[in-house]
């Protein structure tokens, strides 16, 4: 039986490997069919160095090693979630709605893999779990990404665009009464790598980039990449970055700060090209804190940018995966063909009791 009020835990791990986001959320169905939410406890649990290295290297693992990694990560994920629930004395959950962690994403080959989505998770948590949201969409011929636009439509309809700046930048908006969304370009998955070469986990405020030199030849090469000429639906994965971005940056022989400066300009230019003049843009994800990146974006486009309170910046995707889980429990549509290119709208995700 469908309800109008749900209490769930949304769990998200992004490609930038900043950590695991956990958000306790209550959702309430409004009369107009959209949803309201109240955020309860929320926390980002950083990955231990050992886990971070395993997840970084996993794209090259054999099938046997991936199977073992999936088992290990599911166990680790259950430990993190159980600690969070116990720490905050959370009870009465309708479900834990977990994205897992993306290891492989090659939708053109019918392949996407998010680890941590095994039945063992529900057993270890003693909770209903909704997970593995992408596989069904890829099976239906879609990109399996981005999935957040359904939540953008149902929770943040007052904005012209919703822009997330995480490992990758993705955007969603309404076009001709349909939701359109796609990945724009890599962001923190590249910036963090070069910040680490400067002894920092990330480029706080974009200060490292701001101190670097713009390499215009490198910038032109990046902006000429074929992906940017393709129309949506389209999505990006770590494999694409390894094939098309990292080799170009390495071949430039530029310093890390020059690469950070040039990559930031590249990102700003690719972002600016997506928006209509003077539109309202809600910006979330870790990149929203990169003041230099936002400044460069606004130098290329006249926009009304809204950077919300820190909790929404940091936990928007965890909140929305909580909503995707609620929609799946209700068997309501949570995956849009207009966004992913799948054969039809559908209700995606596996439910483990």
């Amino acid at each position: 039986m469908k309800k109008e009020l749900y209490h769930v835990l949304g769990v998200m791990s992004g490609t930038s490997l900043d950590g695991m986001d956990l958000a306790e959320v209550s959702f309430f169905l409004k009369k107009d069919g959209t949803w309201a939410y109240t955020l309860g406890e929320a926390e980002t649990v950083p990955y231990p160095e050992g886990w971070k290295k395993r997840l970084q290297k996993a794209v090259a693992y054999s099938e046997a090693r991936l199977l073992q990694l999936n088992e290990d990560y599911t166990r680790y994920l259950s430990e993190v979630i159980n600690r969070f629930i116990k720490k905050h004395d959370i009870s009465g959950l309708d479900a834990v709605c977990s994205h897992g962690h993306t290891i492989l994403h090659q939708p053109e080959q019918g392949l996407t893999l998010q680890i941590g989505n095994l039945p063992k998770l529900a057993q270890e948590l003693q909770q209903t779990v909704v997970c593995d949201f992408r596989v069904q969409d890829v099976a239906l011929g879609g990109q399996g990404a981005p999935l957040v636009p359904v939540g953008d439509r149902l929770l943040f309809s007052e904005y012209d665009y919703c822009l997330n700046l995480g490992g990758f930048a993705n955007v969603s908006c309404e076009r001709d009464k349909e939701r359109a969304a796609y990945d724009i370009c890599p962001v923190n998955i590249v910036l963090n790598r070069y910040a680490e070469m400067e002894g920092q986990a990330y480029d706080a405020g974009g200060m490292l980039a701001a101190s670097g030199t713009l390499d215009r030849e490198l910038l032109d090469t990046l902006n000429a990449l074929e992906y940017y000429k393709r129309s949506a639906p389209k999505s990006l994965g770590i494999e694409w970055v390894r094939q098309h971005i990292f080799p170009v940056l390495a071949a430039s022989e530029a310093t890390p700060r020059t690469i950070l400066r040039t990559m930031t300009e590249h990102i700003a230019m690719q972002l600016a090209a997506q928006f209509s003049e003077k539109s309202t843009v809600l910006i979330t994800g870790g990149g929203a804190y990169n003041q230099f990146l936002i400044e460069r974006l606004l130098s290329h486009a006249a926009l009304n940018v809204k950077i919300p309170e820190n909790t929404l910046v940091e936990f928007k995707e965890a909140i929305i995966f909580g909503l995707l889980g609620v929609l799946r429990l209700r068997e309501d549509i949570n995956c849009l063909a207009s966004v992913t290119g799948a054969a039809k709208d559908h209700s995606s995700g596996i439910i483990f009791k």
Side-chain angles (χ1 to χ4, degrees):
M1 177 177 154
K2 293 184 178 182
K3 307 191 300 179
E4 294 185 347
L5 179 64
Y6 292 83
H7 179 212
V8 300
L9 186 65
V11 184
M12 176 68 192
S13 174
T15 49
S16 58
L17 289 172
D18 294 335
M20 199 180 296
D21 295 333
L22 302 98
E24 177 197 11
V25 198
S26 294
F27 291 102
F28 177 72
L29 180 62
K30 299 193 289 186
K31 290 181 178 179
D32 63 358
T34 61
W35 290 79
Y37 76 93
T38 301
L39 181 63
E41 301 293 343
E43 186 177 343
T44 297
V45 179
Y47 281 113
E49 196 59 34
W51 263 113
K52 191 172 182 179
K53 288 180 178 178
R54 286 183 76 182
L55 295 174
Q56 285 174 330
K57 295 176 180 177
V59 68
Y61 279 8
S62 66
E63 184 175 350
R65 288 188 74 186
L66 281 177
L67 288 171
Q68 186 60 56
L69 179 68
N70 201 352
E71 292 280 347
D72 294 346
Y73 185 79
T74 301
R75 188 179 307 109
Y76 172 65
L77 180 59
S78 70
E79 292 169 357
V80 171
I81 295 172
N82 270 326
R83 281 199 301 269
F84 178 83
I85 290 173
K86 184 176 181 180
K87 175 182 176 181
H88 298 292
D89 195 24
I90 296 171
S91 61
L93 289 172
D94 290 296
V96 173
C97 310
S98 179
H99 171 271
H101 185 83
T102 298
I103 297 298
L104 302 171
H105 186 66
Q106 301 167 11
E108 291 80 9
Q109 299 177 35
L111 176 64
T112 187
L113 172 64
Q114 286 73 46
I115 60 173
N117 292 329
L118 298 177
K120 180 189 297 183
L121 186 60
Q123 297 163 12
E124 295 287 336
L125 297 176
Q126 290 295 292
Q127 300 278 354
T128 295
V129 169
V130 190
C131 61
D132 226 358
F133 291 95
R134 300 187 189 273
V135 173
Q136 179 173 291
D137 191 77
V138 172
L140 288 170
Q143 291 282 310
L147 299 185
V148 167
V150 171
D152 290 340
R153 168 184 273 179
L154 295 177
L155 296 175
F156 306 107
S157 59
E158 67 268 33
Y159 298 99
D160 296 323
Y161 298 88
C162 290
L163 173 66
N164 180 68
L165 300 178
F168 296 92
N170 49 67
V171 67
S172 81
C173 63
E174 294 291 326
R175 289 181 183 166
D176 301 321
K177 297 183 179 180
E178 287 189 328
R179 198 74 189 178
Y182 49 92
D183 287 343
I184 301 170
C185 62
V187 183
N188 293 333
I189 198 167
V190 176
L191 298 182
N192 289 359
R193 177 186 177 116
Y194 283 89
E196 287 173 0
M197 294 181 187
E198 290 287 306
Q200 305 294 324
Y202 59 94
D203 187 4
M207 296 303 292
L208 292 173
S211 69
T213 302
L214 182 64
D215 184 329
R216 294 200 172 274
E217 183 177 352
L218 176 58
L219 179 63
D220 290 343
T221 300
L222 291 169
N223 284 334
L225 288 170
E226 187 272 337
Y227 177 83
Y228 303 127
K229 301 170 188 174
R230 289 168 50 191
S231 57
K234 58 182 181 177
S235 61
L236 291 167
I238 180 60
E239 302 94 325
W240 184 87
V241 176
R242 287 173 179 261
Q243 183 178 354
H244 297 285
I245 296 289
F246 288 151
V248 169
L249 299 180
S252 74
E253 298 184 351
T255 66
R257 293 197 185 204
T258 292
I259 287 176
L260 285 165
R261 174 67 182 90
T262 305
M263 192 70 199
T264 298
E265 193 72 18
H266 166 64
I267 294 164
M269 293 175 72
Q270 293 304 322
L271 297 180
Q274 315 307 314
F275 305 118
S276 302
E277 286 282 302
K278 298 182 180 178
S279 52
T280 58
V281 184
L282 175 68
I283 303 182
T284 56
Y289 295 127
N290 189 324
Q291 295 170 331
F292 183 63
L293 172 59
I294 303 302
E295 288 171 9
R296 297 312 304 151
L297 166 61
L298 293 176
S299 77
H300 291 291
L303 303 171
N304 180 13
V305 162
K306 169 67 174 178
I307 298 176
E309 68 278 7
N310 291 359
T311 51
L312 185 54
V313 167
E314 295 167 15
F315 297 105
K316 176 172 174 272
E317 289 205 321
I319 291 167
I320 288 183
F321 272 94
L323 179 60
L324 295 183
V326 166
L327 296 174
R328 179 68 185 92
L329 290 172
R330 294 169 52 87
E331 298 185 356
D332 291 347
I333 289 168
N334 66 1
C335 205
L336 301 172
S338 64
V339 168
T340 69
K344 60 181 180 179
D345 292 346
H346 55 104
S347 187
S348 188
I350 296 174
I351 301 172
F352 296 125
K353 296 290 186 178

